[in-house]
Structures are given as structure tokens and as C-alpha cells.
């Protein structure tokens, strides 16, 4: 009898391979149509790429011709959608890499969705990202052109009382607001088109993330919440954009041309609350995990199906891990709120007291998060091994253990140099990484850990509202953080994958 795990994997494989099998079915019956279809597909892709480049050029020219306030408004309205679209492109890149590795079962099986049709292939994800990119560039171009024209006309008026919102300002305002309203409308639309199963899954997962106390936390719940943590700055920008949308066109071109946009600016008390919201969601999820024995919903079901060893001891360990994970997310709150205090205290108080506390809290949060990424989320032994070596705790014995492990694992002639190198690499892998690596080459893991450490610096920048004076720098650091998150996701999914399929080789590349 087949297990539910095997049935889920087969359903996912059939869904992700539907287009592939469909293509081969028609290829056998109508092979003469294949070259023509491929040619049409290439022409469509070339045309879409050309259109995107034209829109990018138009947006660049409009941005270059804009004044300072119009540029600031463009950053206010369009930074958040840019990062969200980048996240879609990066998720497609993850799917593409898994597709190239030809894992069987597919790594998406770790999400254990009730309906495998909610998953999209990398081609479909990139298709959504490409359409979103073109719509985004078109919206930016139209907004900048309308805003530039109205700003120039208003600058020629001598009477400040005449500077009232015109039709052009209203159109620019509606264009910017539509960038947020239309995607939400599509996500919530009860239609049987535009990937309805995926949209339904996203809606339900968002609701589950916002109400973590109501039910056990699933892998998809915490995965989305972790992505939202990397999008904290983006959510804050979206909140400021919504504030500006509610304020109306008058905010865009007020007579005083305030670049901070008053209540919708970076000094608003809304900013730290929204920045802290994703961490608060993950904190609540971790506390729910502690209540549920420290396990995710899928792990709890697997344990009930067939426990191994002392389940009570396993639960206690899982509870401790979930509690420390909650502490990690709690450590982000001082970084967020101490940073925002700069706008509420005197300059001397900020320099002498608050800023040093912020630096300490930021360093602790970054170090804690980096350690958790590598040691717990990726299940690598790199951090403990490096700490032991740095503090010289049995360093000679550690090197001797590596040599012994290499000698014990060596197969064949001891004088064979290639065998010696292979065995030494295997021992180093066990010491610093783990015994089973889904992506094969240990250097991939060392490089990923180094990249994660470097990119973690953007995490602190993202959480700090007082470091927002340069819009370009903020955008760059936010992009680096979302890139780090989808690097993280490759190895976090790998850990769940190896836990779901333990002791087998069916998940290895073939």
C-alpha cells in the first residue's frame, strides 16, 4: 500500500510535469507543428523583452527629468512593488534550480499542500513576474510623466492659492494607487482564471499568518512569514503609500513641497509598528509551536503516525528550539524602536545613549540571526565547529579526529592520493556541514554561508527607520535582503526535504 507521502509526491510530479507530458503527446502526433510553435514562442519572448526594454528606457528618461520631490514620490509609491516583483523573479529562480537538479520527489513536496495545483512551475512564475514587470514600468512611466508636467506648470504659477490638484495630478495619483489596488483585486477575485488554486492558497496562507494562534503552524505558514520578515521595509513602504493615497493628490504637490510628506513620512509612528509586524507574526508562530510541542503541523502528524525513540524527550528539545527561535524574533524589536526614537529625543540623548544601545541591539540581533540561519535553519555544523576552533577547544584533537575519520572511511590502497583527498573531504564535510548534502558540492554550502553572513548586514539596515535618507541606498539594501532570503530558502527547503525523506537516496540529483 502506498503511503500518503508517496501519493502527495506523485500528485505534485504529475502537476508540475503536465505541460511537459502534454508537449510530448502532441509531438508524437503532430511533430510537423513543433518547429512552427517553437518559432512563435521565440518571437513572443523577443517581443516581450523588447517591450520591457522600451518601457525601462522610458521610465529612466522620465525619472532623470523629474525634480527632487517627484523623484521622492516615485520612491515612496514604487519601491515596494519593485521589491515584491523581485521576490517573484527570485522564487522562479529557486524553482528553476530545483528543475535543473531533477530532484525526485520535487522539493516542493515539503509544503504538503492539499491541492498540488497551487504550485507553479518556474516558467509560469517567471511569466507572472514578466507581466508584472511590464505593468510596473508602464505605471512608473505614466506617473512620472504626469507628475513632471503638473509640477512644471505649478512652478510657473505665482499665486500659491492657485496650486490646487488638477486633473493631471489626480490621474498621477490614481496611477500610483492602481499599482497596489489592482494586484490585491486580482489576488482576491473569485475567478477560475489566472491560477485560481495558487491565489486561493496565498489568500489562506496570509490569513493563517495573521492568526497564528488559531491553529498549528505549517511549513507554508512560517515560510511565508519569514519571507515577510525580509519584506518588512517593503511593507512599511506600502503603508506609507496607502497613507499618501488616502491623503489625496494634495499631498503630492503641496505649496511647501515637503519632501518628508508629513504624516506619511519616515518620522510617522506607523513606520516602526509595520516594521515590527512580521517579526511579531513569527514570534506568535514560535509561541504556538511551543504550545504544540515545538513541532510544525506536518511533523506532529508524522510523529503520531509512527513515533521513533522517546517522543517526550524529542518534544522537550523541539520546545526549547522553538522558544529560542521566538527569542530571536523578539530581539528585532529593540532594533526597530530604538532606531525610531531618533525622531523623538534630543540630539544629545540620541548620540550619547540611544544610538550606542541601538548598535549593541543590532549587532546581537544580526549575530543571533546569522547563527540561527546556518545552525538551525540549514542544519549545518559550521558555526559550532568554527567557535571551537577559534577558542582552541581541543583543536589538536579535532584535527586528529578528522584524520582518524578519513582513515576509517578510506577504501582501497592507502597510498592512493585521490582516495585520500576524497576521504579527507568527506571528514571535513561531516565536521563542518552534515553527512547528507542535497546539492552535492560542500563548497556550495561554504559559499552560501559566507554570502548569508555578508548579506545579513542589510537586515539591520532594513529594520532601522533612521537610516532612510538616501532612497537609492535603501532600495539597494532591501533588494540585497530579499536576495538573501531566497538564498536562505534553498537550504531551508533542503533541510525539510531531508527530514521528510530520511535515509534514502530518492531525493538526490539524478
Amino acid at each position: 500500500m502506498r503511503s500518503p507521502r508517496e501519493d502527495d509526491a506523485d500528485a505534485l510530479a504529475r502537476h508540475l510535469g503536465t505541460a511537459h507530458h502534454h508537449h510530448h503527446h502532441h509531438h508524437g502526433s503532430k511533430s510537423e507543428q513543433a518547429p512552427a510553435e517553437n518559432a512563435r514562442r521565440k518571437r513572443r519572448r523577443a517581443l516581450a523583452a523588447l517591450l520591457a526594454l522600451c518601457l525601462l528606457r522610458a521610465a529612466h528618461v522620465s525619472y532623470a527629468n523629474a525634480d527632487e520631490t517627484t523623484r521622492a514620490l516615485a520612491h515612496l509609491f514604487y519601491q515596494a512593488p519593485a521589491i515584491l516583483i523581485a521576490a517573484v523573479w527570485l522564487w522562479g529562480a529557486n524553482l528553476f534550480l530545483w528543475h535543473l537538479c531533477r530532484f525526485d520527489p520535487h522539493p516542493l513536496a515539503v509544503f504538503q499542500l492539499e491541492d498540488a495545483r497551487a504550485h507553479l512551475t518556474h516558467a509560469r512564475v517567471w511569466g507572472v513576474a514578466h507581466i508584472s514587470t511590464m505593468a510596473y514600468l508602464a505605471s512608473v512611466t505614466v506617473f512620472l510623466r504626469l507628475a513632471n508636467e503638473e509640477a512644471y506648470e505649478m512652478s510657473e504659477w505665482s499665486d500659491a492659492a492657485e496650486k490646487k490638484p488638477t486633473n493631471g495630478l489626480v490621474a498621477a495619483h490614481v496611477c500610483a494607487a492602481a499599482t497596489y489596488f489592482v494586484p490585491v483585486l486580482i489576488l482576491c477575485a473569485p475567478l477560475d482564471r489566472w491560477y485560481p488554486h495558487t491565489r486561493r492558497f496565498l489568500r489562506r496562507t496570509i490569513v493563517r499568518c495573521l492568526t497564528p494562534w488559531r491553529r498549528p503552524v505549517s511549513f507554508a505558514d512560517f515560510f511565508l512569514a519569514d519571507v515577510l520578515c525580509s519584506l518588512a521595509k517593503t511593507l512599511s513602504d506600502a503603508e506609507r503609500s496607502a497613507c499618501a493615497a488616502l491623503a489625496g493628490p494634495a499631498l503630492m504637490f503641496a505649496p511647501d513641497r515637503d519632501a518628508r510628506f508629513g504624516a506619511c513620512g519616515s518620522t510617522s509612528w506607523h513606520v516602526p509598528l509595520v516594521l515590527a509586524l512580521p517579526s511579531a507574526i513569527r514570534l506568535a508562530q514560535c509561541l504556538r509551536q511551543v504550545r504544540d510541542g515545538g513541532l510544525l503541523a506536518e511533523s506532529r502528524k508524522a510523529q503520531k503516525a509512527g513515533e521513533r525513540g522517546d517522543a517526550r524527550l524529542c518534544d522537550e528539545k523541539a520546545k526549547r528550539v522553538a522558544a529560542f527561535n521566538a527569542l530571536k524574533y523578539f530581539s528585532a524589536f529593540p532594533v526597530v524602536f530604538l532606531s525610531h526614537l531618533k525622531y523623538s529625543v534630543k540630539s544629545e540623548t540620541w548620540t550619547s545613549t540611544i544610538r550606542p544601545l541601538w548598535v549593541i541591539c543590532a549587532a546581537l540581533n544580526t549575530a543571533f540571526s546569522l547563527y540561527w540561519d546556518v545552525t538551525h535553519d540549514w542544519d549545518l555544523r559550521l558555526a559550532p565547529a568554527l567557535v571551537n576552533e577559534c577558542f582552541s577547544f581541543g583543536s589538536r584533537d579535532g584535527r586528529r579526529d578528522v584524520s582518524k575519520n578519513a582513515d576509517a572511511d578510506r577504501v582501497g590502497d592507502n597510498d592512493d592520493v585521490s582516495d585520500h583527498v576524497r576521504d579527507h573531504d568527506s571528514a571535513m564535510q561531516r565536521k563542518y556541514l552534515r553527512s547528507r548534502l542535497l546539492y552535492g558540492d560542500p563548497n556550495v554550502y561554504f559559499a552560501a554561508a559566507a554570502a548569508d553572513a555578508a548579506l545579513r548586514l542589510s537586515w539591520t539596515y532594513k529594520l532601522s527607520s533612521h537610516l532612510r535618507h538616501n532612497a537609492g541606498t535603501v532600495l539597494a539594501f532591501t533588494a540585497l535582503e530579499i536576495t538573501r532570503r531566497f538564498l536562505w530558502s534553498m537550504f531551508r527547503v533542503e533541510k525539510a526535504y531531508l527530514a521528510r525523506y530520511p535515509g534514502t537516496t530518492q531525493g538526490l540529483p539524478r
Side-chain angles (χ1 to χ4, degrees), residues 26-46:
H26 286 278
H27 180 77
S29 59
K30 301 181 181 180
S31 59
E32 67 279 0
Q33 296 182 2
E37 178 63 27
N38 290 335
R40 285 194 295 270
R41 187 180 297 112
K42 289 180 180 179
R43 285 196 296 270
R44 287 195 298 267
R45 290 176 179 174

PDB file of all heavy atoms in Angstrom, residues 26-46:
ATOM      1  N   HIS A  26       1.636  15.605 -28.056  1.00  0.00           N
ATOM      2  CA  HIS A  26       1.360  16.223 -29.345  1.00  0.00           C
ATOM      3  C   HIS A  26       2.560  16.151 -30.268  1.00  0.00           C
ATOM      4  O   HIS A  26       2.403  16.178 -31.478  1.00  0.00           O
ATOM      5  CB  HIS A  26       0.946  17.687 -29.125  1.00  0.00           C
ATOM      6  CG  HIS A  26      -0.445  17.810 -28.577  1.00  0.00           C
ATOM      7  ND1 HIS A  26      -1.567  17.755 -29.361  1.00  0.00           N
ATOM      8  CD2 HIS A  26      -0.878  17.969 -27.297  1.00  0.00           C
ATOM      9  CE1 HIS A  26      -2.647  17.890 -28.615  1.00  0.00           C
ATOM     10  NE2 HIS A  26      -2.252  18.027 -27.357  1.00  0.00           N
ATOM     11  N   HIS A  27       3.746  16.056 -29.663  1.00  0.00           N
ATOM     12  CA  HIS A  27       4.929  15.958 -30.504  1.00  0.00           C
ATOM     13  C   HIS A  27       4.925  14.664 -31.310  1.00  0.00           C
ATOM     14  O   HIS A  27       5.353  14.627 -32.460  1.00  0.00           O
ATOM     15  CB  HIS A  27       6.183  16.022 -29.619  1.00  0.00           C
ATOM     16  CG  HIS A  27       7.459  15.930 -30.403  1.00  0.00           C
ATOM     17  ND1 HIS A  27       7.968  16.986 -31.110  1.00  0.00           N
ATOM     18  CD2 HIS A  27       8.317  14.887 -30.578  1.00  0.00           C
ATOM     19  CE1 HIS A  27       9.094  16.627 -31.699  1.00  0.00           C
ATOM     20  NE2 HIS A  27       9.330  15.360 -31.397  1.00  0.00           N
ATOM     21  N   GLY A  28       4.366  13.604 -30.707  1.00  0.00           N
ATOM     22  CA  GLY A  28       4.335  12.341 -31.433  1.00  0.00           C
ATOM     23  C   GLY A  28       3.306  12.326 -32.543  1.00  0.00           C
ATOM     24  O   GLY A  28       3.491  11.675 -33.562  1.00  0.00           O
ATOM     25  N   SER A  29       2.190  13.075 -32.373  1.00  0.00           N
ATOM     26  CA  SER A  29       1.118  13.048 -33.363  1.00  0.00           C
ATOM     27  C   SER A  29       1.226  14.163 -34.391  1.00  0.00           C
ATOM     28  O   SER A  29       0.799  14.011 -35.532  1.00  0.00           O
ATOM     29  CB  SER A  29      -0.237  13.129 -32.658  1.00  0.00           C
ATOM     30  OG  SER A  29      -0.312  14.312 -31.908  1.00  0.00           O
ATOM     31  N   LYS A  30       1.781  15.296 -33.970  1.00  0.00           N
ATOM     32  CA  LYS A  30       1.869  16.443 -34.873  1.00  0.00           C
ATOM     33  C   LYS A  30       3.269  17.041 -34.799  1.00  0.00           C
ATOM     34  O   LYS A  30       3.453  18.198 -34.432  1.00  0.00           O
ATOM     35  CB  LYS A  30       0.823  17.487 -34.493  1.00  0.00           C
ATOM     36  CG  LYS A  30      -0.611  16.966 -34.552  1.00  0.00           C
ATOM     37  CD  LYS A  30      -1.602  18.046 -34.193  1.00  0.00           C
ATOM     38  CE  LYS A  30      -3.035  17.539 -34.230  1.00  0.00           C
ATOM     39  NZ  LYS A  30      -4.004  18.598 -33.870  1.00  0.00           N
ATOM     40  N   SER A  31       4.249  16.230 -35.083  1.00  0.00           N
ATOM     41  CA  SER A  31       5.624  16.692 -34.953  1.00  0.00           C
ATOM     42  C   SER A  31       5.953  17.810 -35.920  1.00  0.00           C
ATOM     43  O   SER A  31       6.849  18.611 -35.674  1.00  0.00           O
ATOM     44  CB  SER A  31       6.586  15.515 -35.182  1.00  0.00           C
ATOM     45  OG  SER A  31       6.376  14.963 -36.475  1.00  0.00           O
ATOM     46  N   GLU A  32       5.197  17.870 -37.032  1.00  0.00           N
ATOM     47  CA  GLU A  32       5.499  18.918 -38.010  1.00  0.00           C
ATOM     48  C   GLU A  32       5.136  20.307 -37.490  1.00  0.00           C
ATOM     49  O   GLU A  32       5.607  21.317 -38.019  1.00  0.00           O
ATOM     50  CB  GLU A  32       4.738  18.648 -39.309  1.00  0.00           C
ATOM     51  CG  GLU A  32       3.224  18.764 -39.223  1.00  0.00           C
ATOM     52  CD  GLU A  32       2.557  17.525 -38.654  1.00  0.00           C
ATOM     53  OE1 GLU A  32       3.327  16.572 -38.323  1.00  0.00           O
ATOM     54  OE2 GLU A  32       1.328  17.492 -38.532  1.00  0.00           O
ATOM     55  N   GLN A  33       4.280  20.403 -36.432  1.00  0.00           N
ATOM     56  CA  GLN A  33       3.893  21.694 -35.894  1.00  0.00           C
ATOM     57  C   GLN A  33       4.874  22.205 -34.853  1.00  0.00           C
ATOM     58  O   GLN A  33       4.817  23.379 -34.484  1.00  0.00           O
ATOM     59  CB  GLN A  33       2.496  21.611 -35.273  1.00  0.00           C
ATOM     60  CG  GLN A  33       1.400  21.302 -36.282  1.00  0.00           C
ATOM     61  CD  GLN A  33       0.037  21.280 -35.626  1.00  0.00           C
ATOM     62  OE1 GLN A  33      -0.091  21.525 -34.430  1.00  0.00           O
ATOM     63  NE2 GLN A  33      -0.988  20.998 -36.424  1.00  0.00           N
ATOM     64  N   ALA A  34       5.771  21.340 -34.379  1.00  0.00           N
ATOM     65  CA  ALA A  34       6.684  21.731 -33.299  1.00  0.00           C
ATOM     66  C   ALA A  34       7.609  22.869 -33.697  1.00  0.00           C
ATOM     67  O   ALA A  34       7.747  23.844 -32.945  1.00  0.00           O
ATOM     68  CB  ALA A  34       7.470  20.520 -32.823  1.00  0.00           C
ATOM     69  N   PRO A  35       8.299  22.824 -34.856  1.00  0.00           N
ATOM     70  CA  PRO A  35       9.172  23.947 -35.224  1.00  0.00           C
ATOM     71  C   PRO A  35       8.431  25.271 -35.332  1.00  0.00           C
ATOM     72  O   PRO A  35       8.929  26.312 -34.899  1.00  0.00           O
ATOM     73  CB  PRO A  35       9.754  23.506 -36.566  1.00  0.00           C
ATOM     74  CG  PRO A  35       9.649  22.015 -36.565  1.00  0.00           C
ATOM     75  CD  PRO A  35       8.393  21.721 -35.830  1.00  0.00           C
ATOM     76  N   ALA A  36       7.236  25.259 -35.903  1.00  0.00           N
ATOM     77  CA  ALA A  36       6.465  26.492 -36.027  1.00  0.00           C
ATOM     78  C   ALA A  36       6.060  27.036 -34.659  1.00  0.00           C
ATOM     79  O   ALA A  36       6.121  28.246 -34.416  1.00  0.00           O
ATOM     80  CB  ALA A  36       5.229  26.247 -36.888  1.00  0.00           C
ATOM     81  N   GLU A  37       5.650  26.118 -33.762  1.00  0.00           N
ATOM     82  CA  GLU A  37       5.265  26.551 -32.417  1.00  0.00           C
ATOM     83  C   GLU A  37       6.457  27.123 -31.663  1.00  0.00           C
ATOM     84  O   GLU A  37       6.343  28.151 -30.972  1.00  0.00           O
ATOM     85  CB  GLU A  37       4.665  25.373 -31.656  1.00  0.00           C
ATOM     86  CG  GLU A  37       4.267  25.698 -30.218  1.00  0.00           C
ATOM     87  CD  GLU A  37       3.178  26.754 -30.159  1.00  0.00           C
ATOM     88  OE1 GLU A  37       2.397  26.853 -31.120  1.00  0.00           O
ATOM     89  OE2 GLU A  37       3.120  27.465 -29.135  1.00  0.00           O
ATOM     90  N   ASN A  38       7.615  26.478 -31.786  1.00  0.00           N
ATOM     91  CA  ASN A  38       8.821  26.996 -31.133  1.00  0.00           C
ATOM     92  C   ASN A  38       9.207  28.358 -31.688  1.00  0.00           C
ATOM     93  O   ASN A  38       9.644  29.250 -30.938  1.00  0.00           O
ATOM     94  CB  ASN A  38       9.976  26.010 -31.319  1.00  0.00           C
ATOM     95  CG  ASN A  38       9.787  24.734 -30.528  1.00  0.00           C
ATOM     96  OD1 ASN A  38       9.075  24.731 -29.520  1.00  0.00           O
ATOM     97  ND2 ASN A  38      10.400  23.652 -30.982  1.00  0.00           N
ATOM     98  N   ALA A  39       9.074  28.531 -32.984  1.00  0.00           N
ATOM     99  CA  ALA A  39       9.402  29.821 -33.595  1.00  0.00           C
ATOM    100  C   ALA A  39       8.469  30.916 -33.093  1.00  0.00           C
ATOM    101  O   ALA A  39       8.902  32.035 -32.789  1.00  0.00           O
ATOM    102  CB  ALA A  39       9.333  29.717 -35.115  1.00  0.00           C
ATOM    103  N   ARG A  40       7.160  30.602 -32.989  1.00  0.00           N
ATOM    104  CA  ARG A  40       6.213  31.595 -32.474  1.00  0.00           C
ATOM    105  C   ARG A  40       6.522  31.938 -31.013  1.00  0.00           C
ATOM    106  O   ARG A  40       6.412  33.103 -30.614  1.00  0.00           O
ATOM    107  CB  ARG A  40       4.786  31.066 -32.602  1.00  0.00           C
ATOM    108  CG  ARG A  40       4.240  31.096 -34.022  1.00  0.00           C
ATOM    109  CD  ARG A  40       2.733  30.883 -34.019  1.00  0.00           C
ATOM    110  NE  ARG A  40       2.386  29.544 -33.546  1.00  0.00           N
ATOM    111  CZ  ARG A  40       2.254  28.488 -34.333  1.00  0.00           C
ATOM    112  NH1 ARG A  40       2.459  28.606 -35.642  1.00  0.00           N
ATOM    113  NH2 ARG A  40       1.908  27.320 -33.846  1.00  0.00           N
ATOM    114  N   ARG A  41       6.884  30.920 -30.242  1.00  0.00           N
ATOM    115  CA  ARG A  41       7.212  31.161 -28.842  1.00  0.00           C
ATOM    116  C   ARG A  41       8.437  32.061 -28.719  1.00  0.00           C
ATOM    117  O   ARG A  41       8.477  32.989 -27.888  1.00  0.00           O
ATOM    118  CB  ARG A  41       7.459  29.831 -28.123  1.00  0.00           C
ATOM    119  CG  ARG A  41       7.642  29.987 -26.620  1.00  0.00           C
ATOM    120  CD  ARG A  41       7.896  28.655 -25.944  1.00  0.00           C
ATOM    121  NE  ARG A  41       6.744  27.771 -26.090  1.00  0.00           N
ATOM    122  CZ  ARG A  41       6.747  26.665 -26.824  1.00  0.00           C
ATOM    123  NH1 ARG A  41       7.842  26.308 -27.489  1.00  0.00           N
ATOM    124  NH2 ARG A  41       5.671  25.915 -26.900  1.00  0.00           N
ATOM    125  N   LYS A  42       9.439  31.836 -29.546  1.00  0.00           N
ATOM    126  CA  LYS A  42      10.639  32.678 -29.509  1.00  0.00           C
ATOM    127  C   LYS A  42      10.326  34.109 -29.928  1.00  0.00           C
ATOM    128  O   LYS A  42      10.855  35.065 -29.350  1.00  0.00           O
ATOM    129  CB  LYS A  42      11.712  32.080 -30.415  1.00  0.00           C
ATOM    130  CG  LYS A  42      12.324  30.790 -29.889  1.00  0.00           C
ATOM    131  CD  LYS A  42      13.387  30.264 -30.840  1.00  0.00           C
ATOM    132  CE  LYS A  42      14.007  28.970 -30.298  1.00  0.00           C
ATOM    133  NZ  LYS A  42      15.038  28.435 -31.222  1.00  0.00           N
ATOM    134  N   ARG A  43       9.457  34.275 -30.929  1.00  0.00           N
ATOM    135  CA  ARG A  43       9.093  35.627 -31.354  1.00  0.00           C
ATOM    136  C   ARG A  43       8.333  36.359 -30.250  1.00  0.00           C
ATOM    137  O   ARG A  43       8.550  37.555 -30.021  1.00  0.00           O
ATOM    138  CB  ARG A  43       8.249  35.564 -32.628  1.00  0.00           C
ATOM    139  CG  ARG A  43       9.049  35.233 -33.882  1.00  0.00           C
ATOM    140  CD  ARG A  43       8.242  35.568 -35.128  1.00  0.00           C
ATOM    141  NE  ARG A  43       7.037  34.743 -35.247  1.00  0.00           N
ATOM    142  CZ  ARG A  43       6.974  33.590 -35.872  1.00  0.00           C
ATOM    143  NH1 ARG A  43       8.065  33.083 -36.442  1.00  0.00           N
ATOM    144  NH2 ARG A  43       5.838  32.921 -35.951  1.00  0.00           N
ATOM    145  N   ARG A  44       7.440  35.641 -29.567  1.00  0.00           N
ATOM    146  CA  ARG A  44       6.708  36.285 -28.469  1.00  0.00           C
ATOM    147  C   ARG A  44       7.651  36.711 -27.353  1.00  0.00           C
ATOM    148  O   ARG A  44       7.503  37.800 -26.789  1.00  0.00           O
ATOM    149  CB  ARG A  44       5.634  35.330 -27.933  1.00  0.00           C
ATOM    150  CG  ARG A  44       4.433  35.145 -28.859  1.00  0.00           C
ATOM    151  CD  ARG A  44       3.274  34.506 -28.110  1.00  0.00           C
ATOM    152  NE  ARG A  44       3.613  33.176 -27.615  1.00  0.00           N
ATOM    153  CZ  ARG A  44       3.370  32.053 -28.261  1.00  0.00           C
ATOM    154  NH1 ARG A  44       2.799  32.098 -29.462  1.00  0.00           N
ATOM    155  NH2 ARG A  44       3.683  30.882 -27.740  1.00  0.00           N
ATOM    156  N   ARG A  45       8.607  35.850 -27.035  1.00  0.00           N
ATOM    157  CA  ARG A  45       9.552  36.198 -25.981  1.00  0.00           C
ATOM    158  C   ARG A  45      10.419  37.387 -26.384  1.00  0.00           C
ATOM    159  O   ARG A  45      10.697  38.280 -25.568  1.00  0.00           O
ATOM    160  CB  ARG A  45      10.431  34.984 -25.658  1.00  0.00           C
ATOM    161  CG  ARG A  45       9.692  33.848 -24.953  1.00  0.00           C
ATOM    162  CD  ARG A  45      10.602  32.652 -24.756  1.00  0.00           C
ATOM    163  NE  ARG A  45       9.911  31.560 -24.064  1.00  0.00           N
ATOM    164  CZ  ARG A  45      10.437  30.357 -23.855  1.00  0.00           C
ATOM    165  NH1 ARG A  45      11.674  30.095 -24.295  1.00  0.00           N
ATOM    166  NH2 ARG A  45       9.757  29.433 -23.215  1.00  0.00           N
ATOM    167  N   ALA A  46      10.858  37.404 -27.646  1.00  0.00           N
ATOM    168  CA  ALA A  46      11.678  38.517 -28.116  1.00  0.00           C
ATOM    169  C   ALA A  46      10.892  39.824 -28.091  1.00  0.00           C
ATOM    170  O   ALA A  46      11.409  40.878 -27.691  1.00  0.00           O
ATOM    171  CB  ALA A  46      12.198  38.229 -29.520  1.00  0.00           C
TER     172      ALA A  46
END
